[in-house]
């Protein structure tokens, strides 16, 4: 960090402090997975920014906005920190966004604290992040929010015996803790638990253990793509996708449904968005998406939270007056901010900087010969259950 300080001091001396680019231009650094195993998420991040700019232009208030992209290429917290330093010191960005995986945001916290750089978390969902820096604001979900929705829906559906299968990394552990807390409060019990290593390719043993435990509901959280497809295929091989209620989080998001066979129909998920939502904002968003990327483009939650993140960034920039970018003015502008998103009503809690928003229970259904997620239940304006369970 000493090197970062030295560069920052030099930048100030030459009039190039972070945020000190021309008063009418604000640079935004975007750290994303534009290559590697999570490249689909990076693609959705970039495309969502393009859609927002197409709708709203590249200007907020009296300031032009310029995006500077950096590719992290995979799960690499050390590189995320290095890229943040480069963006702030060399590229002179005033705001950071991106951060698909929570470990990346964790690694960057010390940098943004030292430089006072507002950072909008487009996807990272670990609940502890917001306490790591007063300059973080969340555009997506706190992972406890959908986990509580999973528990509520399972309980309301009369389920009493749950098996939890989650990816073996921090967000998976949080889902496990949150669901267990909420489900047992409501009288349910946990009959089995698995933490599945991220490098797993053969899920047969996990599916067999689940089948032998005979739960009446299976709770899952795995990364999108190949891990989720492999796991659900293993469940289907044991007949579990047809015999047992399954409630995931984002494993069966619409952009990935083409990867699954017909046995995925009937599976539930809990998340803050569904492409099938009928509201003016979602209709306007999908119209621009179709115009830019074609009628076959399928929108998912990894499109919407980055899109909402850019909305927050425009709000930060609009609040600026002439002169150097003021990070505290930017943060004040989004605390308590409320608006209507393609995913429904949104509000940034002024104390925690967490997103308050709807959680939707979706079910994969065959609609006119095409699999899609259909909303069957809405939990309105969900707050921050993790903070309630972990008071400071």
């Amino acid at each position: 960090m000493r090197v970062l300080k030295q560069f920052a001091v030099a930048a100030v001396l030459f009039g190039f402090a972070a945020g000190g680019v021309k008063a009418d231009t604000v640079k935004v650094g975007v750290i994303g997975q534009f290559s590697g195993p999570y490249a689909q998420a990076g693609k959705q991040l970039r495309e969502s920014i393009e859609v927002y700019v197409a709708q709203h232009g590249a200007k907020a208030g009296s300031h032009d906005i310029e995006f500077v992209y950096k590719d992290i290429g995979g799960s690499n917290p050390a590189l995320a920190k290095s890229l943040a330093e480069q963006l702030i010191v060399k590229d002179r960005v005033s705001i950071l966004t991106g951060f698909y995986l929570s470990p990346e945001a964790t690694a960057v916290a010390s940098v943004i604290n030292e430089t006072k750089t507002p950072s909008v978390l487009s996807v990272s969902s670990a609940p502890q992040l917001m306490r790591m820096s007063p300059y973080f604001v969340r555009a997506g979900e706190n992972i406890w929010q959908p986990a509580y929705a999973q528990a509520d829906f399972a309980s309301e559906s009369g389920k009493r015996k749950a098996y939890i299968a989650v990816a073996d990394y921090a967000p998976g552990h949080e889902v496990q803790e949150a669901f267990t807390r909420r489900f047992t409060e409501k009288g349910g019990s946990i009959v089995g638990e698995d933490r599945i290593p991220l490098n797993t390719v053969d899920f047969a043993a996990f599916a067999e253990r689940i089948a032998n435990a005979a739960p009446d509901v299976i709770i899952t959280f795995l990364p999108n793509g190949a891990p989720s497809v492999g796991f659900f295929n293993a469940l289907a091989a044991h007949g579990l996708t047809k015999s047992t209620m399954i409630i995931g989080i984002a494993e069966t998001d619409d952009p990935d449904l083409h990867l699954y066979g017909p046995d995925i129909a009937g599976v539930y998920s809990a998340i803050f968005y569904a492409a099938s939502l009928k509201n003016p904002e979602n209709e306007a968003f999908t119209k621009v998406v179709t115009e830019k990327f074609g009628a076959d483009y399928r929108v998912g939650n990894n499109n919407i939270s980055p899109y909402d993140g850019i909305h927050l960034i425009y709000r930060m920039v609009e609040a600026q007056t002439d002169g150097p970018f003021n990070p505290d003015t930017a943060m004040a502008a989004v605390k308590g901010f409320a608006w209507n998103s393609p995913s429904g009503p949104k509000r940034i809690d002024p104390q925690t900087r967490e997103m308050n928003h709807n959680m939707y229970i979706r079910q994969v259904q065959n609609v006119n010969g095409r699999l899609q997620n259909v909303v069957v239940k809405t939990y309105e304006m969900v707050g921050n259950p993790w903070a309630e369970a972990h008071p400071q």
Side-chain angles (χ1 to χ4, degrees), residues 41 44 57 75 84 140 154 240 243 311 321 353 380:
Q44 290 170 307
S75 179
L240 292 168
S243 67
H311 191 64
T321 57
R353 290 157 285 112
E380 295 184 352

Side-chain angles (χ1 to χ4, degrees), residues 7-28 63-64 66 86-95 115-118 320-327:
F7 274 119
V9 170
V12 171
L13 292 175
F14 286 94
F16 293 133
V21 72
K22 287 193 306 178
D24 59 350
T25 300
V26 175
K27 287 187 175 183
V28 178
H63 305 277
D64 294 324
E66 178 183 342
Q86 290 178 34
L87 284 163
I88 294 167
V89 176
K90 181 179 178 181
D91 295 296
R92 306 192 298 281
V93 306
S94 301
I95 304 170
T115 59
K116 296 185 177 182
T117 303
Q320 302 297 315
T321 57
D322 292 337
F325 182 88
N326 188 316

Side-chain angles (χ1 to χ4, degrees), residues 83-169:
L83 292 176
E85 292 172 350
Q86 290 178 34
L87 284 163
I88 294 167
V89 176
K90 181 179 178 181
D91 295 296
R92 306 192 298 281
V93 306
S94 301
I95 304 170
L96 292 175
T97 192
F99 308 111
Y100 177 63
L101 299 174
S102 296
E104 303 160 6
T106 300
V108 166
S110 62
V111 175
I112 69 169
N113 287 340
E114 183 173 353
T115 59
K116 296 185 177 182
T117 303
S119 296
V120 180
L121 304 179
S122 64
V123 178
S124 302
S125 59
Q128 301 90 342
L129 288 170
M130 307 312 294
R131 292 183 181 175
M132 293 181 180
S133 174
Y135 293 96
F136 276 146
V137 60
R138 199 186 308 272
E141 65 187 3
N142 174 321
I143 199 64
W144 274 53
Q145 294 175 320
Y148 261 44
Q150 287 175 311
D152 287 347
F153 186 69
S155 180
E156 292 164 10
S157 301
K159 306 306 178 183
R160 293 294 177 264
K161 299 187 300 179
Y163 198 110
I164 305 173
V166 297
D168 189 10
Y169 73 130

Side-chain angles (χ1 to χ4, degrees), residues 174-191:
E174 295 293 342
V175 170
Q176 185 178 13
E177 179 187 347
F179 178 86
T180 299
R181 179 186 179 91
R182 185 68 163 177
F183 192 61
T184 55
E185 282 178 351
K186 291 178 169 288
S189 62
I190 310 302
V191 299

Side-chain angles (χ1 to χ4, degrees), residues 230-314:
F231 179 66
F232 279 95
N233 283 345
L235 296 180
H238 283 76
L240 292 168
T241 56
K242 297 302 182 185
S243 67
T244 308
M245 174 180 275
I246 301 172
I247 314 176
I249 292 186
E251 299 93 329
T252 57
D253 207 28
D254 283 78
D256 295 326
L257 284 177
H258 69 283
L259 302 172
Y260 293 94
D263 286 338
I264 202 65
V267 170
Y268 295 91
S269 56
I271 200 75
F272 58 87
Y273 176 72
S276 58
L277 287 173
K278 304 298 183 185
N279 63 58
E281 293 77 20
N282 196 38
E283 290 173 2
F285 174 79
T286 54
K287 180 177 183 292
V288 176
V289 167
T290 298
E291 290 171 352
K292 288 184 68 66
F293 307 118
D296 292 332
Y297 189 100
R298 307 197 73 173
V299 178
N301 58 283
N302 285 339
N303 294 101
I304 295 302
S305 53
Y307 178 89
D308 286 338
I310 301 305
H311 191 64
L312 291 173
I313 287 170
Y314 273 54

